[in-house]
Amino acid sequence: RMALNDNKAGMQGLDKDKINQIIMDNTVGSRFYMNEQKREMQADDLLTEIEKQRDLTRTIIHIDMDAFYASVEERDRPELKTKPMAVGGMDMLSTSNYVARKYGVRAAMPGFIAKKLCPELVIVPLNFDKYKQVSKQTQEIFAEYDANFSGMSLDEAFLDITDHLQKRILYDEEERTFHYHHSLAVKQPQDSDSDLSRNVSETFGFSPEDVANELRFRIHQKTLLTASAGIAPNTMLAKIGSDLNKPNGQTYFKPNREEILKFVKDFPVRKVNGVGKVTEQLLSALDIKKCGDLYHRRGDLVLLFSEISCSFFFRISLGCSSNVLESSGERKSISTERTFNAISEHKELFAKLEELCQSLAVDMEKENLQGKTLTLKTKNVNFQLHTRSKTVTSPLFNFESVFAVAQKLLEQEIMNANNKLTLRLMG
Ligand code: DCP
Ligand code: MG
């Protein structure tokens, strides 16, 4: 940001590099430079905190069916396999097969536009009962590997196979062998019709990749549909992995920090789960396209985004994310907030905070919930909303533990306020 801006009349053709070097050399030590450095240090503190939480001990698999609705329809009408096809209606498509994707036809596109892109496109109406039934079949398989698997939608799930891998060491060959559905056995030319013995079964090994292959094999045998998988130490990488070798493929991220960082560096930010169109555009305006750019621009991100957003971005840049699966439909947060006449006395602010924590603790107990992240929400007299969060290592489970963290957050809020902190809402 110190660099020369040469879009002023009469500045064409300058040696920008040389000029920037001189600016840089002479800015070191200036207040401007120190401020830049301070922000980078702030960012580095956050990065260190995240790095401390990196945990490479679990093995997570993300499984995602290929062109799910479309594949179910193709299975039941094989003549569609070679044609461009989509599922949905003229107003909206739910997905398309890989033939149609070549034309730019995809999910969340109106069918009438898709028809313009590909006039021979076949549009098949939705058949939810069929998709639900397949989903049930796959979930029966998932449960054998992780009873607490987390189903994200009909066609995708996260499994923590860490415990399975340990038990698996003791599995004999038979327990790792699965038989072909008769019609799916690959017939060799020398086989007679009654002799498919060479191809009737497949045996899988002990590694995480073997387990993913086994899962995908079993899904295919049971549903006649293919799935892709990502295997990684956390959910973010596992999710990325299931998409990388689609369709009918898988990707393994070893539990190795250096290799993960190397991969993440050049990976497009947009492809990370949770980075939507708006975030992509915001980051793109800052010329941030790859996950590695998030690290290089950490000082600017701290200046421009909230702490929660920065944490999210820095996690991405380090390839860190949760490896704790939430069971389907599980509640993720609980909150309480109050609006009141403006107060600024510290004693009053902390009293209000105490009251809120008490009320939250009662609700948590009722719902039998514990917390990992506490967020303090404030609205000042100028109606500016602000949130500040802290993630802790041991769970928050009662008034005392919640209030201890909340107090720290409020202290920071008071310290960082430009003027005397005066609030009209706290949550
Ligand atoms: N779906 C939908 N509307 C969307 C996206 C998806 O109704 N905007 C439905 C149809 C998909 C299913 O959810 O078949 C699964 O979504 P995916 O994103 O996993 O897409 P596909 O399984 O179709 O394709 P891929 O092979 O890319 O996973
Ligand atoms: Mg899918």
Side-chain angles (χ1 to χ4, degrees):
R1 289 179 325 113
M2 289 179 288
L4 177 73
N5 178 348
D6 66 351
N7 64 4
K8 200 109 181 96
M11 294 193 99
Q12 294 83 1
L14 297 180
D15 183 347
K16 259 182 99 171
D17 288 343
K18 195 171 158 204
I19 294 174
N20 280 333
Q21 191 55 50
I22 294 174
I23 296 177
M24 195 55 184
D25 290 346
N26 289 284
T27 319
V28 175
S30 73
R31 279 173 67 168
F32 180 81
Y33 186 81
M34 306 265 276
N35 198 32
E36 295 269 304
Q37 263 193 328
K38 197 177 122 199
R39 290 210 317 269
E40 284 202 354
M41 279 160 61
Q42 235 177 310
D44 287 342
D45 284 350
L46 253 176
L47 282 154
T48 311
E49 188 73 20
I50 294 167
E51 188 61 63
K52 261 197 255 160
Q53 290 172 11
R54 190 193 291 276
D55 176 6
L56 299 171
T57 60
R58 314 240 21 123
T59 308
I60 310 292
I61 293 189
H62 181 255
I63 286 252
D64 188 297
M65 305 294 289
D66 302 323
F68 183 45
Y69 297 178
S71 304
V72 174
E73 302 304 335
E74 284 177 0
R75 177 190 67 181
D76 301 342
R77 287 172 61 187
E79 77 278 7
L80 293 174
K81 272 187 189 162
T82 51
K83 294 182 183 150
M85 183 269 275
V87 180
M90 274 319 227
D91 49 342
M92 194 49 79
L93 300 179
S94 291
T95 194
S96 54
N97 69 2
Y98 280 74
V99 184
R101 287 181 197 193
K102 292 254 184 307
Y103 294 82
V105 173
R106 54 165 302 165
M109 177 183 276
F112 68 89
I113 290 182
K115 278 278 198 188
K116 292 262 156 49
L117 291 170
C118 173
E120 64 273 39
L121 181 76
V122 182
I123 299 181
V124 180
L126 285 157
N127 236 311
F128 271 114
D129 289 341
K130 282 206 290 197
Y131 316 142
K132 272 191 224 151
Q133 199 206 336
V134 173
S135 184
K136 203 171 146 255
Q137 287 179 309
T138 57
Q139 295 192 346
E140 282 162 8
I141 299 174
F142 299 156
E144 290 182 41
Y145 297 79
D146 175 10
N148 302 315
F149 75 89
S150 171
M152 307 304 288
S153 69
L154 291 183
D155 99 318
E156 61 173 316
F158 285 106
L159 283 69
D160 182 337
I161 58 156
T162 318
D163 297 344
H164 170 82
L165 284 168
Q166 289 200 332
K167 276 189 251 156
R168 192 177 175 90
I169 298 169
L170 304 171
Y171 282 16
D172 57 27
E173 192 171 316
E174 202 182 316
E175 287 172 287
R176 291 177 286 106
T177 299
F178 294 89
H179 298 273
Y180 275 98
H181 185 290
H182 191 68
S183 65
L184 291 174
V186 187
K187 227 176 110 187
Q188 301 290 325
Q190 63 268 35
D191 292 335
S192 76
D193 270 349
S194 58
D195 176 24
L196 280 168
S197 56
R198 281 160 26 84
N199 290 302
V200 289
S201 68
E202 190 124 1
T203 303
F204 298 87
F206 299 96
S207 73
E209 286 170 287
D210 293 328
V211 175
N213 270 318
E214 179 177 298
L215 271 161
R216 294 173 42 240
F217 176 86
R218 293 185 64 190
I219 290 173
H220 187 225
Q221 295 306 309
K222 192 166 180 177
T223 67
L224 309 183
L225 301 168
T226 60
S228 298
I231 313 126
N234 63 50
T235 51
M236 176 183 115
L237 292 171
K239 170 102 181 166
I240 289 172
S242 67
D243 204 59
L244 280 182
N245 283 314
K246 250 182 189 301
N248 199 17
Q250 63 182 52
T251 314
Y252 178 44
F253 290 100
K254 282 187 230 148
N256 176 304
R257 179 176 177 269
E258 278 62 46
E259 283 186 34
I260 290 171
L261 289 178
K262 199 168 150 216
F263 169 82
V264 169
K265 202 166 128 270
D266 292 321
F267 192 70
V269 177
R270 176 61 168 114
K271 290 197 161 185
V272 177
N273 198 28
V275 177
K277 226 184 246 163
V278 176
T279 310
E280 179 196 21
Q281 283 173 1
L282 282 170
L283 294 175
S284 169
L286 297 168
D287 209 24
I288 296 173
K289 305 253 162 64
K290 299 169 178 174
C291 298
D293 300 338
L294 291 167
Y295 178 80
H296 294 301
R297 303 293 300 281
R298 60 196 183 285
D300 293 330
L301 290 174
V302 166
L303 177 71
L304 295 168
F305 291 92
S306 71
E307 191 171 328
I308 296 183
S309 298
C310 286
S311 271
F312 174 62
F313 293 144
F314 294 163
R315 274 172 195 286
I316 295 173
S317 77
L318 293 175
C320 281
S321 84
S322 164
N323 58 9
V324 181
L325 306 187
E326 306 192 21
S327 23
S328 327
E330 191 176 285
R331 178 158 191 171
K332 288 185 184 148
S333 70
I334 186 161
S335 69
T336 180
E337 67 177 52
R338 302 274 152 81
T339 304
F340 35 79
N341 291 330
I343 51 174
S344 56
E345 285 307 317
H346 290 183
K347 221 174 114 191
E348 280 185 76
L349 286 171
F350 281 100
K352 196 54 92 179
L353 185 72
E354 185 172 354
E355 185 189 319
L356 278 165
C357 291
Q358 247 147 10
S359 136
L360 186 69
V362 170
D363 291 347
M364 283 165 69
E365 197 177 331
K366 259 192 235 151
E367 304 253 347
N368 197 17
L369 283 179
Q370 303 195 343
K372 193 169 64 172
T373 301
L374 186 76
T375 303
L376 174 69
K377 173 179 167 187
T378 55
K379 191 191 276 178
N380 67 18
V381 273
N382 300 319
F383 291 87
Q384 287 167 322
L385 265 178
H386 197 214
T387 56
R388 182 182 289 276
S389 304
K390 184 153 183 62
T391 299
V392 292
T393 37
S394 52
L396 306 171
F397 64 100
N398 60 6
F399 165 72
E400 283 77 18
S401 54
V402 170
F403 188 49
V405 178
Q407 270 177 312
K408 288 212 184 90
L409 290 172
L410 181 57
E411 278 161 17
Q412 284 173 1
E413 202 62 33
I414 291 171
M415 266 185 357
N416 276 355
N418 287 331
N419 303 307
K420 194 165 192 202
L421 185 73
T422 309
L423 299 181
R424 57 191 316 281
L425 175 148
M426 214 190 266

Short mmCIF file of all heavy atoms in Angstrom, two decimals, residues 380-405:
data_model
loop_
_atom_site.label_atom_id
_atom_site.label_comp_id
_atom_site.label_asym_id
_atom_site.label_seq_id
_atom_site.Cartn_x
_atom_site.Cartn_y
_atom_site.Cartn_z
N ASN A 380 -23.25 0.08 20.12
CA ASN A 380 -22.97 1.31 20.85
C ASN A 380 -24.04 2.37 20.56
O ASN A 380 -24.98 2.13 19.81
CB ASN A 380 -21.54 1.82 20.58
CG ASN A 380 -21.35 2.26 19.15
OD1 ASN A 380 -22.32 2.51 18.43
ND2 ASN A 380 -20.10 2.36 18.73
N VAL A 381 -23.88 3.55 21.16
CA VAL A 381 -24.91 4.58 21.01
C VAL A 381 -25.05 5.07 19.58
O VAL A 381 -26.05 5.66 19.21
CB VAL A 381 -24.66 5.79 21.95
CG1 VAL A 381 -25.28 5.53 23.32
CG2 VAL A 381 -23.19 6.10 22.06
N ASN A 382 -24.01 4.82 18.75
CA ASN A 382 -24.12 5.19 17.34
C ASN A 382 -24.68 4.05 16.49
O ASN A 382 -24.54 4.03 15.27
CB ASN A 382 -22.75 5.59 16.79
CG ASN A 382 -22.19 6.77 17.54
OD1 ASN A 382 -22.92 7.70 17.86
ND2 ASN A 382 -20.90 6.73 17.84
N PHE A 383 -25.25 3.07 17.19
CA PHE A 383 -25.88 1.93 16.53
C PHE A 383 -24.88 1.08 15.75
O PHE A 383 -25.25 0.38 14.81
CB PHE A 383 -27.03 2.38 15.61
CG PHE A 383 -28.20 2.90 16.39
CD1 PHE A 383 -28.25 4.24 16.76
CD2 PHE A 383 -29.22 2.06 16.80
CE1 PHE A 383 -29.31 4.72 17.50
CE2 PHE A 383 -30.27 2.53 17.54
CZ PHE A 383 -30.34 3.87 17.90
N GLN A 384 -23.61 1.16 16.12
CA GLN A 384 -22.63 0.30 15.46
C GLN A 384 -22.58 -1.04 16.18
O GLN A 384 -22.37 -1.09 17.39
CB GLN A 384 -21.24 0.96 15.48
CG GLN A 384 -21.15 2.12 14.51
CD GLN A 384 -19.92 2.95 14.76
OE1 GLN A 384 -19.51 3.17 15.90
NE2 GLN A 384 -19.33 3.45 13.69
N LEU A 385 -22.82 -2.10 15.39
CA LEU A 385 -22.78 -3.45 15.96
C LEU A 385 -21.35 -3.96 15.90
O LEU A 385 -20.63 -3.73 14.94
CB LEU A 385 -23.65 -4.37 15.13
CG LEU A 385 -25.09 -4.59 15.58
CD1 LEU A 385 -25.78 -5.50 14.59
CD2 LEU A 385 -25.14 -5.19 16.97
N HIS A 386 -20.97 -4.68 16.96
CA HIS A 386 -19.62 -5.22 16.98
C HIS A 386 -19.64 -6.58 17.65
O HIS A 386 -20.34 -6.77 18.64
CB HIS A 386 -18.71 -4.25 17.74
CG HIS A 386 -17.27 -4.50 17.48
ND1 HIS A 386 -16.28 -4.32 18.41
CD2 HIS A 386 -16.65 -4.94 16.36
CE1 HIS A 386 -15.12 -4.64 17.88
NE2 HIS A 386 -15.31 -5.01 16.64
N THR A 387 -18.92 -7.53 17.10
CA THR A 387 -18.80 -8.82 17.78
C THR A 387 -17.34 -9.16 18.01
O THR A 387 -16.48 -8.76 17.21
CB THR A 387 -19.43 -9.98 16.97
OG1 THR A 387 -18.82 -10.01 15.69
CG2 THR A 387 -20.92 -9.83 16.84
N ARG A 388 -17.09 -9.85 19.07
CA ARG A 388 -15.73 -10.24 19.43
C ARG A 388 -15.84 -11.63 20.02
O ARG A 388 -16.69 -11.88 20.88
CB ARG A 388 -15.20 -9.24 20.47
CG ARG A 388 -13.79 -9.45 20.93
CD ARG A 388 -13.43 -8.42 21.99
NE ARG A 388 -13.29 -7.08 21.44
CZ ARG A 388 -12.17 -6.63 20.86
NH1 ARG A 388 -11.12 -7.41 20.76
NH2 ARG A 388 -12.11 -5.40 20.41
N SER A 389 -15.01 -12.57 19.55
CA SER A 389 -15.15 -13.97 19.99
C SER A 389 -13.87 -14.52 20.58
O SER A 389 -12.78 -14.05 20.25
CB SER A 389 -15.51 -14.86 18.82
OG SER A 389 -16.65 -14.41 18.21
N LYS A 390 -14.07 -15.54 21.36
CA LYS A 390 -12.90 -16.28 21.84
C LYS A 390 -13.24 -17.77 21.84
O LYS A 390 -14.29 -18.18 22.31
CB LYS A 390 -12.53 -15.82 23.25
CG LYS A 390 -11.27 -16.50 23.75
CD LYS A 390 -10.53 -15.63 24.77
CE LYS A 390 -9.24 -16.29 25.22
NZ LYS A 390 -8.27 -16.49 24.11
N THR A 391 -12.33 -18.55 21.27
CA THR A 391 -12.48 -20.00 21.27
C THR A 391 -11.56 -20.57 22.34
O THR A 391 -10.40 -20.16 22.43
CB THR A 391 -12.12 -20.57 19.89
OG1 THR A 391 -13.01 -20.02 18.93
CG2 THR A 391 -12.26 -22.08 19.86
N VAL A 392 -12.10 -21.44 23.14
CA VAL A 392 -11.31 -21.96 24.27
C VAL A 392 -11.05 -23.45 24.13
O VAL A 392 -11.73 -24.13 23.35
CB VAL A 392 -12.04 -21.70 25.61
CG1 VAL A 392 -12.09 -20.23 25.92
CG2 VAL A 392 -13.45 -22.28 25.57
N THR A 393 -10.06 -23.94 24.86
CA THR A 393 -9.69 -25.35 24.71
C THR A 393 -10.53 -26.25 25.61
O THR A 393 -10.88 -27.36 25.22
CB THR A 393 -8.19 -25.56 24.98
OG1 THR A 393 -7.83 -24.69 26.05
CG2 THR A 393 -7.37 -25.25 23.76
N SER A 394 -10.89 -25.76 26.83
CA SER A 394 -11.77 -26.61 27.63
C SER A 394 -13.19 -26.02 27.57
O SER A 394 -13.36 -24.80 27.60
CB SER A 394 -11.28 -26.72 29.07
OG SER A 394 -11.06 -25.43 29.59
N PRO A 395 -14.20 -26.88 27.44
CA PRO A 395 -15.56 -26.43 27.16
C PRO A 395 -16.14 -25.50 28.23
O PRO A 395 -15.87 -25.66 29.42
CB PRO A 395 -16.36 -27.72 27.08
CG PRO A 395 -15.52 -28.76 27.72
CD PRO A 395 -14.10 -28.34 27.57
N LEU A 396 -16.94 -24.55 27.77
CA LEU A 396 -17.68 -23.67 28.67
C LEU A 396 -18.97 -24.39 29.02
O LEU A 396 -19.72 -24.79 28.13
CB LEU A 396 -17.99 -22.36 27.95
CG LEU A 396 -16.78 -21.65 27.34
CD1 LEU A 396 -17.21 -20.49 26.47
CD2 LEU A 396 -15.85 -21.18 28.44
N PHE A 397 -19.22 -24.57 30.31
CA PHE A 397 -20.37 -25.40 30.67
C PHE A 397 -21.25 -24.81 31.76
O PHE A 397 -22.34 -25.31 32.00
CB PHE A 397 -19.90 -26.81 31.09
CG PHE A 397 -19.06 -26.80 32.33
CD1 PHE A 397 -19.61 -27.12 33.55
CD2 PHE A 397 -17.73 -26.45 32.26
CE1 PHE A 397 -18.85 -27.09 34.70
CE2 PHE A 397 -16.95 -26.41 33.39
CZ PHE A 397 -17.51 -26.74 34.63
N ASN A 398 -20.77 -23.74 32.44
CA ASN A 398 -21.61 -23.16 33.49
C ASN A 398 -21.39 -21.65 33.56
O ASN A 398 -20.59 -21.09 32.80
CB ASN A 398 -21.31 -23.81 34.84
CG ASN A 398 -19.85 -23.61 35.24
OD1 ASN A 398 -19.10 -22.90 34.58
ND2 ASN A 398 -19.45 -24.24 36.32
N PHE A 399 -22.08 -20.99 34.50
CA PHE A 399 -21.98 -19.55 34.61
C PHE A 399 -20.52 -19.10 34.79
O PHE A 399 -20.05 -18.21 34.09
CB PHE A 399 -22.84 -19.03 35.78
CG PHE A 399 -22.50 -17.62 36.16
CD1 PHE A 399 -22.86 -16.57 35.32
CD2 PHE A 399 -21.79 -17.35 37.32
CE1 PHE A 399 -22.51 -15.26 35.65
CE2 PHE A 399 -21.45 -16.05 37.65
CZ PHE A 399 -21.80 -15.01 36.81
N GLU A 400 -19.81 -19.73 35.72
CA GLU A 400 -18.45 -19.27 36.02
C GLU A 400 -17.55 -19.30 34.79
O GLU A 400 -16.84 -18.35 34.49
CB GLU A 400 -17.81 -20.12 37.14
CG GLU A 400 -18.30 -19.79 38.54
CD GLU A 400 -19.69 -20.37 38.83
OE1 GLU A 400 -20.11 -21.30 38.09
OE2 GLU A 400 -20.35 -19.88 39.76
N SER A 401 -17.60 -20.45 34.06
CA SER A 401 -16.69 -20.57 32.91
C SER A 401 -17.09 -19.60 31.80
O SER A 401 -16.23 -19.00 31.14
CB SER A 401 -16.65 -22.01 32.40
OG SER A 401 -17.94 -22.49 32.13
N VAL A 402 -18.38 -19.38 31.62
CA VAL A 402 -18.83 -18.45 30.59
C VAL A 402 -18.47 -17.01 30.97
O VAL A 402 -17.90 -16.26 30.16
CB VAL A 402 -20.37 -18.56 30.38
CG1 VAL A 402 -20.88 -17.43 29.48
CG2 VAL A 402 -20.73 -19.91 29.77
N PHE A 403 -18.73 -16.66 32.22
CA PHE A 403 -18.51 -15.28 32.66
C PHE A 403 -17.01 -14.92 32.61
O PHE A 403 -16.65 -13.80 32.24
CB PHE A 403 -19.08 -15.09 34.07
CG PHE A 403 -19.07 -13.66 34.54
CD1 PHE A 403 -19.58 -12.63 33.73
CD2 PHE A 403 -18.57 -13.32 35.79
CE1 PHE A 403 -19.58 -11.32 34.16
CE2 PHE A 403 -18.57 -11.99 36.23
CZ PHE A 403 -19.07 -11.00 35.41
N ALA A 404 -16.16 -15.89 32.94
CA ALA A 404 -14.71 -15.62 32.94
C ALA A 404 -14.26 -15.17 31.55
O ALA A 404 -13.52 -14.19 31.41
CB ALA A 404 -13.95 -16.87 33.37
N VAL A 405 -14.71 -15.88 30.53
CA VAL A 405 -14.31 -15.53 29.16
C VAL A 405 -15.00 -14.24 28.72
O VAL A 405 -14.39 -13.36 28.09
CB VAL A 405 -14.65 -16.68 28.17
CG1 VAL A 405 -14.28 -16.31 26.75
CG2 VAL A 405 -13.94 -17.95 28.59
#
